[in-house]
Amino acid sequence: MSDEKQQGKLGRAAAGARGGSGCREADKGLFGQARELTPALYALSRVLRFQGMDEAGLWRLPPSELELMRYVHAEPGVTVGVLARELGMQVSNVSATVRGLVNGGLLEREKDPDDGRVSRLRPTLKAEQGMALIENAWAEIFADALVELSEAQREALLASVPALEALGAALKERRKAP
């Protein structure tokens, strides 16, 4: 990244840390909403990252490996290059991680039918079963916590799912932008 680009990001981050000064008025409102939302989402993501595997009685994967496995699970046939870009990792690090997951019987490589130099990644049956157990454990953890909420709070959370999915898609598209 160029120094100019890096300084632009730092300047925007500093402006955001000051409560959005330097932003348009409309952006200040969005910034305030984001400041309320992001800590809650981060706390939920930590629960998902650090709980579930033990509860499911499975191996404990480091967070980067779990992220990679979740991506391949959601997008079977993905390449190492796409994984690196989507996860914000170096291709060499993704390659090493993939190699370990292949050796562990969690991923398999298959040659691209159109380009034999390219390998496509797919989760193994062991990985598919493991992910199902982890997702069930996550659902149990959340169900236990949902009991503590009011019916209105549970309904509000359920109603927010489409908006959260749209936010995730927007963030993913934003990463792709130059």
Side-chain angles (χ1 to χ4, degrees):
M1 177 180 303
S2 73
D3 287 343
E4 193 172 273
K5 214 174 195 182
Q6 181 68 23
Q7 289 206 318
K9 281 188 171 189
L10 291 173
R12 286 190 299 278
R18 292 187 303 267
S21 62
C23 297
R24 296 185 320 244
E25 281 302 312
D27 290 345
K28 287 181 183 179
L30 290 175
F31 180 81
Q33 291 172 350
R35 286 288 290 150
E36 284 187 49
L37 186 59
T38 52
L41 293 176
Y42 183 77
L44 290 174
S45 74
R46 283 192 53 80
V47 169
L48 292 176
R49 285 181 178 204
F50 297 111
Q51 292 184 11
M53 287 183 276
D54 291 338
E55 288 82 351
L58 296 175
W59 64 94
R60 182 175 268 300
L61 293 176
S64 61
E65 290 183 13
L66 179 59
E67 289 298 315
L68 192 144
M69 286 300 305
R70 297 244 342 116
Y71 196 95
V72 174
H73 178 76
E75 301 286 338
V78 68
T79 64
V80 167
V82 169
L83 265 175
R85 183 179 67 243
E86 290 296 315
L87 298 177
M89 297 172 63
Q90 296 294 322
V91 172
S92 59
N93 293 341
V94 172
S95 292
T97 301
V98 165
R99 205 169 19 260
L101 292 169
V102 167
N103 292 339
L106 297 173
L107 287 181
E108 55 191 18
R109 297 177 194 258
E110 64 181 39
K111 293 289 182 197
D112 184 298
D114 299 326
D115 185 348
R117 298 169 297 172
V118 175
S119 291
R120 303 255 170 214
L121 302 171
R122 299 202 181 282
T124 63
L125 180 59
K126 176 182 175 182
E128 292 285 349
Q129 291 170 336
M131 289 307 299
L133 290 172
I134 291 169
E135 289 173 357
N136 285 340
W138 285 335
E140 285 181 30
I141 291 165
F142 273 59
D144 288 345
L146 287 172
V147 167
E148 303 296 322
L149 303 181
S150 70
E151 183 67 29
Q153 289 171 320
R154 289 193 299 270
E155 288 174 9
L157 284 170
L158 194 55
S160 73
V161 170
L164 290 170
E165 289 172 341
L167 176 60
L171 289 168
K172 186 175 179 181
E173 282 301 313
R174 191 168 186 268
R175 272 198 325 263
K176 290 180 183 178

